[in-house]
Amino acid sequence: GNSVTQMEGPVTLSEEAFLTINCTYTATGYPSLFWYVQYPGEGLQLLLKATKADDKGSNKGFEATYRKETTSFHLEKGSVQVSDSAVYFCALRLYSGGGADGLTFGKGTHLIIQP
Amino acid sequence: DGGITQSPKYLFRKEGQNVTLSCEQNLNHDAMYWYRQDPGQGLRLIYYSQIVNDFQKGDIAEGYSVSREKKESFPLTVTSAQKNPTAFYLCATRGGSTNEKLFFGSGTQLSVL
């Protein structure tokens, strides 16, 4: 079956540090890949996405590159801010023409940025 | 103001009681979803609906029921058969088969008294 594995948190960094949150996936085809972010007490928001191999998604200083050879979609940011503190979810979608669209989420990584 | 409205934000259930969580959208999206979020567990799909008057079970549908009588509304009922209902419940919508982005509501926290 399809699955997404993320590094476990919490991840605690100082402001302006470099961020990497690892995400790997297994899928029975060629999925689209996503990063969603959840701020405290809120729903999820799409942060970025990539739909095919070697695509790079980017938004708000965050980047992730779809690596088919390593089945990975690691999230990176060069200089984090306190306002980046949130839970980050890696997800994949494998549309098969029916069902729930095959959207699968990882367990989430809680990121804490200290001033 | 377009978006997804979930209510209430906090809900308490007594043992043996059914409770209903509301999800309303004015995005004119066809597909709607209910997810359950537990700490450290990520999101798990309860039910989804791709069109009015039709809905399908997700991965953890037991103890839950839904209806989709209007495009704008997809209420979720947590029945007394759900023995561990305490969780954060998220409603989401999607605009079409080629639109991959999910839009989420702000969630309802359900707790058992």
Side-chain angles (χ1 to χ4, degrees):
Chain A
N2 303 324
S3 67
V4 176
T5 303
Q6 296 180 231
M7 60 191 294
E8 292 190 13
V11 174
T12 303
L13 296 172
S14 297
E15 205 165 19
E16 299 183 4
F18 184 86
L19 168 71
T20 299
I21 300 178
N22 290 339
C23 171
T24 57
Y25 67 90
T26 58
T28 54
Y30 300 100
S32 296
L33 301 173
F34 306 84
W35 277 101
Y36 280 84
V37 58
Q38 183 181 33
Y39 298 102
E42 297 183 8
L44 278 68
Q45 304 171 28
L46 180 65
L47 180 60
L48 52 85
K49 72 173 187 178
T51 57
K52 61 183 187 295
D54 299 326
D55 270 2
K56 178 185 284 188
S58 61
N59 185 26
K60 300 181 181 179
F62 290 90
E63 293 183 340
T65 302
Y66 190 144
R67 300 289 188 198
K68 182 181 170 185
E69 63 275 13
T70 55
T71 62
S72 65
F73 194 54
H74 304 322
L75 182 68
E76 297 181 335
K77 186 174 185 181
S79 176
V80 292
Q81 306 299 315
V82 172
S83 56
D84 294 327
S85 298
V87 181
Y88 292 81
F89 291 90
C90 186
L92 68 82
R93 179 173 185 253
L94 196 61
Y95 184 59
S96 59
D101 303 324
L103 196 66
T104 302
F105 286 89
K107 292 186 177 182
T109 302
H110 186 192
L111 175 65
I112 301 169
I113 307 301
Q114 296 177 333
Chain B
D1 188 25
I4 303 167
T5 302
Q6 287 189 242
S7 62
K9 192 166 182 64
Y10 300 96
L11 186 59
F12 297 91
R13 192 191 91 166
K14 296 179 181 178
E15 201 163 328
Q17 185 182 40
N18 293 354
V19 292
T20 297
L21 284 61
S22 171
C23 178
E24 302 281 330
Q25 56 111 348
N26 60 6
L27 300 171
N28 200 34
H29 286 173
D30 287 315
M32 298 187 73
Y33 306 80
W34 275 107
Y35 288 91
R36 171 179 170 142
Q37 184 179 17
D38 295 277
Q41 295 292 319
L43 276 68
R44 293 182 288 171
L45 183 64
I46 305 172
Y47 267 98
Y48 64 99
S49 168
Q50 294 181 320
I51 198 168
V52 175
N53 292 323
D54 185 53
F55 51 83
Q56 304 294 331
K57 292 181 179 180
D59 300 319
I60 55 165
E62 186 174 351
Y64 300 97
S65 66
V66 294
S67 62
R68 187 83 188 276
E69 297 177 1
K70 300 186 300 181
K71 188 175 187 178
E72 300 79 15
S73 179
F74 191 43
L76 174 73
T77 296
V78 184
T79 75
S80 57
Q82 173 49 247
K83 299 306 181 187
N84 184 23
T86 297
F88 191 55
Y89 290 85
L90 287 163
C91 178
T93 70
R94 191 173 52 78
S97 61
T98 59
N99 184 344
E100 299 190 291
K101 179 179 177 180
L102 285 182
F103 292 80
F104 283 84
S106 57
T108 294
Q109 176 65 50
L110 175 62
S111 303
V112 176
L113 289 176

